[in-house]
Amino acid sequence: MFVFGDSLFDPGNNNFLNISATQGKANYPPYGETFFHYPTGRFSDGRLIPDFFASFAGLPLWRPYLDPANHNFVVGANFASAGACVLVENNPNTLNLQIQLGFFKEVVNLLTQQLGDTDTKKLLREATYISSIGGVDYMIFVNSSSNITEPAMQEYVNIVIGNITEATKEIYELGGRKFAFQNVGPLGCYPHMKAEFNSTGECVQFLQILATMHNNALAKVAEELEINLSGFKYLMFDFFTSLMDRANNPTKHGFKVGDNACCGGGVYHAQNGCGFLTEEYELCSDPNEFVFWDAYHPTEHCYSQLVELLWNGTGNVTWPLNMKQLYDLDIDTEVSSQNIDLLDDA
């Protein structure tokens, strides 16, 4: 598995960047307290969705790609970076999608040197490419734009989706065939956004509209890529609906709190950071009771529910495949079968 994304997937790459904690690090307590029992750089109290994937697939947890220790790239790599954007200009402090793509190309070269061209191509063909990116672009857009009209939103979405499409095609050209897209979350339901835009407890609707525009466009693009690129297979995980349902109906899913963050300060525990030495914050006694760990990110317990939906779920949350089906899919057999079907049709 090769992982691309932002803080929802970052295992600690930002620990190795020359930035401050306020610019995108989670390498201080109480982050990581539930599972690792120390801060790893993950923006949660424990594991993230790619960590659960690794466990399900029998793979070791990936270290951050930027970790200088030796890596075994035969099992993949995680390039995700908290604050990462699709658009290069949006957040120059972190690893935008183009930088992550560049790192992936470096890994391809290293694998080719290690395994040879034939085995590397087979590995890349059978690998799964997981991505979760775009949400930060939209949060920056709403904070920097005074013209939040639906046409302006759609124009911006088109630019973001265009860049994701081109990056996906580049991975395909390098040999990638199996893509798992996690759509943008319910931005208007995040505690920070509700606090910032003075919501009265409801999700912020224009943010929800923006996220929905992105998600609809992403689903359409993925479907078109499967039609136009031979051997291209994908899944779309409805992170938006799955997380929003838990935020708005916490008790239905075994949580007690869906609006306040477990860790933070101020309204919704979302105005002060979680663990910043310069800010006052509160920490809940049991993160398992909360949907959100901090102002933007779910708890490990919430992630554990979401990843179960993604790994084994049905078409109402992940389509046209779930993660287990995509991961187990033999691309060579699939393509051969399609070619036979085409011959039969002829």
Side-chain angles (χ1 to χ4, degrees):
M1 294 186 188
F2 293 96
V3 183
F4 303 82
D6 52 29
S7 56
L8 296 174
F9 283 5
D10 182 2
N13 276 307
N14 282 17
N15 293 351
F16 302 94
L17 298 179
N18 186 25
I19 59 175
S20 68
T22 55
Q23 292 173 306
K25 288 186 178 181
N27 58 346
Y28 46 86
Y31 284 99
E33 66 166 29
T34 298
F35 180 79
F36 299 99
H37 308 300
Y38 67 93
T40 63
R42 290 167 172 81
F43 279 80
S44 185
D45 59 309
R47 291 164 292 181
L48 310 179
I49 283 177
D51 299 319
F52 286 103
F53 281 160
S55 298
F56 290 168
L59 300 172
L61 295 188
W62 299 281
R63 289 194 304 276
Y65 174 74
L66 293 182
D67 188 327
N70 289 332
H71 293 262
N72 178 16
F73 292 127
V74 171
V75 298
N78 189 329
F79 311 106
S81 169
C85 292
V86 174
L87 305 185
V88 173
E89 64 273 16
N90 271 346
N91 189 1
N93 293 317
T94 59
L95 309 178
N96 61 55
L97 182 56
Q98 281 303 308
I99 293 173
Q100 293 181 37
L101 185 59
F103 289 156
F104 172 65
K105 292 175 182 177
E106 291 178 6
V107 169
V108 172
N109 289 334
L110 289 169
L111 285 169
T112 303
Q113 294 171 27
Q114 178 185 349
L115 304 176
D117 192 53
T118 301
D119 286 349
T120 298
K121 285 180 177 177
K122 178 175 174 55
L123 184 153
L124 296 173
R125 202 164 54 244
E126 294 297 336
T128 307
Y129 301 83
I130 313 161
S131 62
S132 171
I133 198 163
V136 182
D137 292 274
Y138 296 115
M139 287 186 276
I140 289 172
F141 173 70
V142 300
N143 283 321
S144 62
S145 176
S146 58
N147 186 29
I148 308 292
T149 63
E150 288 211 17
M153 288 181 185
Q154 191 61 64
E155 181 180 2
Y156 190 79
V157 166
N158 291 344
I159 295 170
V160 171
I161 292 293
N163 279 266
I164 291 174
T165 305
E166 290 308 308
T168 304
K169 287 180 177 178
E170 283 198 58
I171 295 171
Y172 176 87
E173 290 299 321
L174 290 164
R177 292 295 182 269
K178 301 193 294 187
F179 294 83
F181 299 101
Q182 177 172 295
N183 67 17
V184 166
L187 305 178
C189 301
Y190 289 174
H192 180 87
M193 291 305 182
K194 291 204 292 188
E196 182 171 343
F197 291 98
N198 298 318
S199 173
T200 57
E202 300 296 321
C203 298
V204 182
Q205 281 310 300
F206 73 88
L207 281 165
Q208 295 291 84
I209 291 169
L210 189 56
T212 300
M213 284 180 170
H214 171 93
N215 294 341
N216 289 342
L218 183 63
K220 182 178 179 183
V221 160
E223 188 175 353
E224 290 172 351
L225 289 173
E226 185 175 53
I227 292 169
N228 295 321
L229 300 178
S230 175
F232 184 98
K233 293 293 175 182
Y234 79 97
L235 70 78
M236 187 66 56
F237 173 49
D238 194 359
F239 181 66
F240 177 95
T241 302
S242 302
L243 181 56
M244 181 175 66
D245 187 31
R246 283 158 177 77
N248 292 338
N249 306 288
T251 56
K252 172 182 164 186
H253 299 282
F255 298 98
K256 290 186 178 179
V257 183
D259 48 6
N260 282 21
C262 168
C263 183
V267 177
Y268 300 119
H269 284 175
Q271 293 174 303
N272 293 353
C274 168
F276 289 139
L277 297 177
T278 56
E279 296 180 327
E280 292 185 4
Y281 72 96
E282 297 177 359
L283 179 64
C284 69
S285 59
D286 185 1
N288 290 337
E289 296 178 349
F290 284 69
V291 173
F292 288 100
W293 164 252
D294 65 13
Y296 297 99
H297 307 99
T299 57
E300 180 186 82
H301 184 52
C302 183
Y303 278 133
S304 71
Q305 292 188 5
L306 297 176
V307 81
E308 186 65 38
L309 292 175
L310 178 46
W311 188 260
N312 290 312
T314 55
N316 60 325
V317 290
T318 172
W319 64 88
L321 303 168
N322 62 35
M323 189 66 187
K324 187 176 189 307
Q325 291 167 333
L326 184 70
Y327 182 76
D328 289 342
L329 186 68
D330 186 315
I331 285 294
D332 291 337
T333 302
E334 182 74 17
V335 170
S336 298
S337 174
Q338 287 177 342
N339 289 339
I340 291 170
D341 289 343
L342 288 172
L343 288 170
D344 289 344
D345 291 341

